[in-house]
Amino acid sequence: MATSILVPPETEQEYLTLTGKISLALAFFVLVRAALSMTNDTDSAIYFSLGLASLVSVIYCVVLGVKSMKFAKNISRLGFWTLTFDDEYVDYVSSFSLRVTCHVLIFGTIMLAICGDSRWFVELIAPYQITNALQVLLGVAAAAHGTSILWKLREEDLDE
């Protein structure tokens, strides 16, 4: 049986904010990698800029990930891995962002499943690989997760 750890709501909110930032950094990384694979001219300034942005985003993601590890001892294991919290509003924001992410992934997957063999879709995606479409879907889902967390937590700060 898991022991309950009393954690101040501010700590839970700080951890959730960090989770939102990690999601946005991950989304940026995945979307930049998709754009990199779609760029044909590897000697262009755009390709170099995208590569640099990719490097910066992965470093930022790692730094935020290491920062989030300090919360492992403060938040129960269940809350750390499943994003469930004792504070009602933080738990609401967490579950809301996870629902938004789930809906984005389900809608995107349904669209790929339904339209994947359609002639217009194949012609639209022909210059690219299906991997790029999946990267974009993953990037949009991660961006939706991070944005919904930071937006809802911002709303609470504005109300106070």
Side-chain angles (χ1 to χ4, degrees):
M1 185 168 205
T3 59
S4 179
I5 300 173
L6 221 42
V7 180
E10 295 81 21
T11 303
E12 291 181 335
Q13 185 172 350
E14 188 179 345
Y15 174 67
L16 192 59
T17 301
L18 203 55
T19 302
K21 289 178 181 178
I22 290 170
S23 288
L24 286 177
L26 178 66
F28 186 73
F29 173 73
V30 170
L31 291 172
V32 166
R33 295 301 298 173
L36 265 172
S37 63
M38 291 181 208
T39 305
N40 295 330
D41 187 10
T42 59
D43 294 332
S44 68
I46 292 175
Y47 190 83
F48 176 75
S49 299
L50 287 173
L52 188 61
S54 174
L55 178 66
V56 168
S57 64
V58 78
I59 289 171
Y60 186 61
C61 196
V62 168
V63 167
L64 289 175
V66 168
K67 277 180 138 178
S68 75
M69 288 301 161
K70 77 175 186 179
F71 291 99
K73 65 179 183 272
N74 295 332
I75 296 176
S76 69
R77 286 180 190 235
L78 182 64
F80 185 77
W81 290 109
T82 62
L83 296 177
T84 55
F85 301 98
D86 293 329
D87 183 64
E88 287 181 21
Y89 189 74
V90 175
D91 193 50
Y92 160 73
V93 170
S94 175
S95 63
F96 175 80
S97 67
L98 291 173
R99 282 193 309 272
V100 167
T101 305
C102 181
H103 285 98
V104 167
L105 285 172
I106 288 172
F107 178 75
T109 305
I110 288 172
M111 291 307 295
L112 282 174
I114 291 173
C115 301
D117 291 336
S118 300
R119 184 170 181 79
W120 68 269
F121 186 76
V122 171
E123 289 174 5
L124 175 72
I125 206 165
Y128 314 110
Q129 300 173 352
I130 192 71
T131 306
N132 299 114
L134 293 174
Q135 285 175 329
V136 169
L137 178 60
L138 178 63
V140 169
H145 183 254
T147 302
S148 61
I149 287 174
L150 296 178
W151 185 265
K152 285 291 188 182
L153 290 178
R154 181 181 165 273
E155 283 179 0
E156 181 191 31
D157 290 339
L158 292 177
D159 289 342
E160 291 177 359

